[in-house]
Each structure stands twice: as C-alpha cells, then as structure tokens.
Amino acid sequence: MELICPLCNGMLNYEIYCLRCGSRLKDQGAIVDYLDEYSPYLSNDITQLVDGVEYEKCCHLFKCDRCDFEKRVEINRVRM
Ligand SMILES: [Zn+2]
Ligand SMILES: [Zn+2]
C-alpha cells in the first residue's frame, strides 16, 4: 500500500474560494514540489511549514488569479 495525495493524482476536485474577493482559488500544486523549483525565492515562513508537515499530508498552495491571495491547504493522503 502506498500513501498518495488525491489532489496531486487528479482524484479530488478541491474547491476553495478566495477570502478577499470570492473567486475560486487555483491549485498551484504541492508545496514540496514548489520548493524544489523556487526555494531560493520563498520566505523562511514557508520552509518551516514544510518541515513541520506530517507525512500523511500533502500541502498545497492555492492562489487567486484576481487578487493574488494565497492559501496553504493540507490534503490528507489516502492509502491505495
Ligand atoms: Zn498533493
Ligand atoms: Zn481573490
């Protein structure tokens, strides 16, 4: 059995809306992947969060196209 993130694997359509303008936030992908590509540009804040994430969770970054609001969401991985 393997723990996988349903969002990374397209099994879950997670809807979350912007707290500022109400637009639907777009999934920017798992933050761990994000860090691999962009780590030099991210704040310590996000790095620490990733270190603290439990194994069973996949942390995703959601972003609003309209106002650039960002929200991090922990998705529970499921056993397949
Ligand atoms: Zn994921
Ligand atoms: Zn917004």
Side-chain angles (χ1 to χ4, degrees), residues 43-65:
S43 69
N44 292 333
D45 175 50
I46 293 178
T47 307
Q48 282 165 8
L49 180 81
V50 169
D51 288 340
V53 166
E54 297 170 36
Y55 177 68
E56 292 81 9
K57 296 189 176 175
C58 181
C59 197
H60 280 249
L61 182 70
F62 284 79
K63 189 172 179 185
C64 177
D65 275 349

Side-chain angles (χ1 to χ4, degrees), residues 7-60:
L7 207 54
C8 286
N9 289 274
M11 296 158 55
L12 180 70
N13 193 15
Y14 195 84
E15 290 192 15
I16 181 169
Y17 294 89
C18 181
L19 296 178
R20 282 191 201 151
C21 73
S23 295
R24 185 166 171 189
L25 301 183
K26 282 195 178 162
D27 182 12
Q28 304 293 304
I31 287 184
V32 177
D33 296 336
Y34 200 79
L35 280 176
D36 286 341
E37 277 182 65
Y38 300 109
S39 55
Y41 308 105
L42 290 183
S43 69
N44 292 333
D45 175 50
I46 293 178
T47 307
Q48 282 165 8
L49 180 81
V50 169
D51 288 340
V53 166
E54 297 170 36
Y55 177 68
E56 292 81 9
K57 296 189 176 175
C58 181
C59 197
H60 280 249

